[in-house]
Each structure stands twice: as structure tokens, then as C-alpha cells.
């Protein structure tokens, strides 16, 4: 049974929606995580980027950390050794997509698997993009 009071609305890349006091921006990020239909959400009000599997970390990290790069880089390198190699393929658009995310100046990166990061999210995203390029030989 569907209890929605209206039909779903498809958002265009970059389109913003308001939900109470928050403004969210939909970001199409093809191939940045998993596949061509990948996307992220940015809370422009609180400067939170919901990162999905970007910067994932293995183990049992704390909920929030001020440093996650080493753990995320390690997880990226380990994934290249198994069936999830190239889960984030480095394409001709990867650098520009990371730059677009960094330009949002996120203060929190809400990472699905691992500790969330508080701090200079732009710097961390660009640092991770360079590591992704290095690991994949791009």
C-alpha cells in the first residue's frame, strides 16, 4: 500500500528543494559511486554533503572524526584487490565532478560507511580525488 499524497517528483541536476528550514540540492554524479545513475544530496543550509560510499572506511570507526583520509585511502586500495575494484571508476569527468562537490564548501561529509567528517570538506574531497587517480593510474 502506498500512502503518498502525491506523485513522486524527479529532480533535475542542481535543482534545490526546501523541507522546512533546510534547502537540499540534488547532484547528479554519474559513476562517482557505483554507476551511471549515481547521485548525492547537499544540505545547503547546514553545509552537509551526503556522500554515499565516497570515503568509505572499514572497521568500526567513531560516528564523527576530524580525520578520515588515511582510513578512506586504505579502504580504496584494499577494494582494488578484490571484486569491487574500480567501484569508483576514474573517468574523464571524475576530476570535474570532485571539483564541483568541493566548490560547495561542505563543512560535514556524511559518509554512509565509516566516520562522518567535520572540517574542510572541500580539501578532503580534492585530496581523495587525487588518491583515486593515483590508485587507478589515471
Amino acid at each position: 500500500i502506498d500512502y503518498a499524497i502525491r506523485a513522486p517528483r524527479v529532480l533535475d541536476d542542481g535543482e534545490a528543494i526546501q523541507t522546512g528550514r533546510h534547502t537540499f540540492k540534488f547532484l547528479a554524479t554519474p559513476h562517482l559511486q557505483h554507476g551511471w545513475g549515481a547521485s548525492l544530496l547537499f544540505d545547503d543550509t547546514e553545509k552537509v554533503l551526503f556522500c554515499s560510499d565516497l570515503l568509505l572506511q572499514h572497521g568500526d570507526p567513531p560516528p564523527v572524526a576530524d580525520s578520515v583520509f588515511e582510513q578512506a585511502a586504505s579502504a580504496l586500495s584494499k577494494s582494488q584487490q578484490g571484486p569491487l575494484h574500480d567501484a569508483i571508476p576514474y573517468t574523464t569527468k571524475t576530476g570535474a565532478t570532485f571539483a564541483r562537490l568541493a566548490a560547495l564548501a561542505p563543512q560535514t561529509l556524511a559518509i554512509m560507511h565509516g566516520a562522518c567528517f567535520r572540517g574542510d570538506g572541500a580539501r578532503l574531497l580534492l585530496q581523495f580525488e587525487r588518491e583515486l587517480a593515483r590508485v587507478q593510474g589515471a
Side-chain angles (χ1 to χ4, degrees):
I1 297 175
D2 187 352
Y3 293 99
I5 60 173
R6 62 187 151 278
R9 186 173 126 216
V10 176
L11 298 174
D12 291 325
D13 181 36
E15 185 175 352
I17 58 170
Q18 291 191 322
T19 60
R21 70 176 190 88
H22 291 269
T23 300
F24 292 94
K25 187 180 293 185
F26 173 78
L27 305 163
T29 56
H31 296 293
L32 199 53
Q33 339 69 256
H34 305 311
W36 66 268
S39 60
L40 300 178
L41 198 63
F42 180 65
D43 179 348
D44 201 26
T45 307
E46 299 290 332
K47 302 298 181 196
V48 176
L49 179 63
F50 294 88
C51 294
S52 184
D53 287 342
L54 284 182
L55 299 153
L56 76 89
Q57 306 129 54
H58 296 272
D60 189 19
V64 179
D66 59 4
S67 176
V68 300
F69 177 76
E70 294 301 325
Q71 298 87 343
S74 174
L76 177 63
S77 291
K78 285 180 184 174
S79 72
Q80 286 298 100
Q81 307 309 312
L84 297 178
H85 71 284
D86 297 342
I88 304 173
Y90 201 94
T91 71
T92 58
K93 297 182 188 238
T94 302
T97 302
F98 270 97
R100 177 183 181 211
L101 297 176
L104 298 169
Q107 297 170 1
T108 301
L109 301 178
I111 301 163
M112 185 184 302
H113 302 287
C116 292
F117 172 78
R118 276 203 195 123
D120 186 349
R123 182 188 56 76
L124 179 57
L125 288 166
L126 296 175
Q127 183 181 20
F128 187 74
E129 183 268 331
R130 288 189 301 272
E131 180 66 7
L132 179 62
R134 186 192 69 75
V135 166
Q136 292 196 6

